Amino acid sequence: MKEAEAYIEQLWQDDEDLRRAKEGTKEAGMPEIEIAAPYGRLLTLLVRMSGAKAILEIGALGGYSGICLARGLADGGTLTSLELKEAYAEVARRHLTQAGYGERVTYQLGDARESLAALEREGKRYDFFFIDADKEGYLYYLDMAIRLARPGAVIVADNTFLRGRVLNPAKEGPAVQAVRAFNERLATDERLDSTMLPSYDGLAIARVK
Ligand code: DHB
Ligand code: MG
């Protein structure tokens, strides 16, 4: 509901660090597709409420969501962020550094599928996942998140409606089909407790049992 979204957006303003991340992403010529601000605040809350110490982000873009995630971490917590493009990771790193989280974040460059397989081989485990990369990879990313999860880990994914295309039965492109498959798995996988928020572009939230 756009009216409710507009109402909420004027209650909370983006602070300087988030504004800088957003503007810097735009100035770098990168896509302006940050997570909706209220969902960014939800990321901070979920990280803080879950007590997560090791976060894995899939898709860094310009670091807006990275700042939201890092803000929820207690002392000693870390953020690992997988990013396909080195230039994007550099912009994200700059924004996290300016926000005071440069020491906490590690960027892993390249195809997230390969990075995830490597993390699994290394025996890495995480207690918070944020999925926001290429939409055709979503089902694989969910599967890998479950495999890399400590018990009780939280999984959040952005864009579960693909600007409404997921809800339109006439749309059947590869990204739409992949996100539908992701959503169906989210809802039915017995290893998860889960739900989805319908505002903005849809946000999936799950907890690994
Ligand atoms: C779009 C938005 C996103 O948040 C994203 O991760 C990818 C694409 C979009 O609106 O096109
Ligand atoms: Mg997104």
Side-chain angles (χ1 to χ4, degrees), residues 33-35 132 135 138 158-159:
I33 50 169
E34 294 84 10
I35 188 169
D132 197 15
K135 308 314 170 195
Y138 263 37
D158 192 25
N159 310 110

Side-chain angles (χ1 to χ4, degrees), residues 46 59 112 114 119 122-123 128 137 143:
L46 288 172
E114 287 165 30
L119 293 171
E122 292 160 16
F128 200 104
D143 202 45

Side-chain angles (χ1 to χ4, degrees), residues 26-186:
K26 183 178 175 182
E27 281 160 18
M30 296 160 59
E32 294 170 64
I33 50 169
E34 294 84 10
I35 188 169
Y39 285 168
R41 281 192 299 279
L42 180 61
L43 289 179
T44 305
L45 285 169
L46 288 172
V47 171
R48 178 73 42 82
M49 290 190 294
S50 65
K53 294 208 160 51
I55 305 175
L56 184 64
E57 176 182 54
I58 307 174
L61 195 65
Y64 183 100
S65 56
I67 293 172
C68 297
L69 292 164
R71 279 183 174 165
L73 284 169
D75 285 350
T78 61
L79 168 64
T80 303
S81 186
L82 311 184
E83 173 54 51
L84 181 61
K85 299 186 179 178
E86 185 172 6
Y88 287 12
E90 285 312 314
V91 172
R93 189 197 311 280
R94 188 178 80 224
H95 290 143
L96 266 86
T97 302
Q98 287 169 330
Y101 302 113
E103 306 286 296
R104 290 181 181 256
V105 63
T106 306
Y107 290 95
Q108 220 161 302
L109 298 178
D111 188 323
R113 287 173 175 76
E114 287 165 30
S115 296
L116 288 163
L119 293 171
E120 190 183 32
R121 281 195 302 275
E122 292 160 16
K124 295 275 170 44
R125 291 292 178 270
Y126 300 89
D127 37 38
F128 200 104
F129 300 83
F130 179 51
I131 300 171
D132 197 15
D134 64 291
K135 308 314 170 195
E136 289 180 40
Y138 263 37
L139 188 57
Y140 179 76
Y141 300 148
L142 178 60
D143 202 45
M144 287 304 288
I146 295 170
R147 287 159 76 157
L148 293 169
R150 293 197 183 108
V154 175
I155 302 174
V156 180
D158 192 25
N159 310 110
T160 56
F161 298 156
L162 291 181
R163 298 186 180 209
R165 296 202 303 281
V166 165
L167 317 173
N168 178 349
K171 301 283 184 189
E172 289 186 349
V176 172
Q177 291 197 30
V179 172
R180 280 192 194 126
F182 170 96
N183 292 344
E184 284 156 25
R185 171 74 67 78
L186 176 88

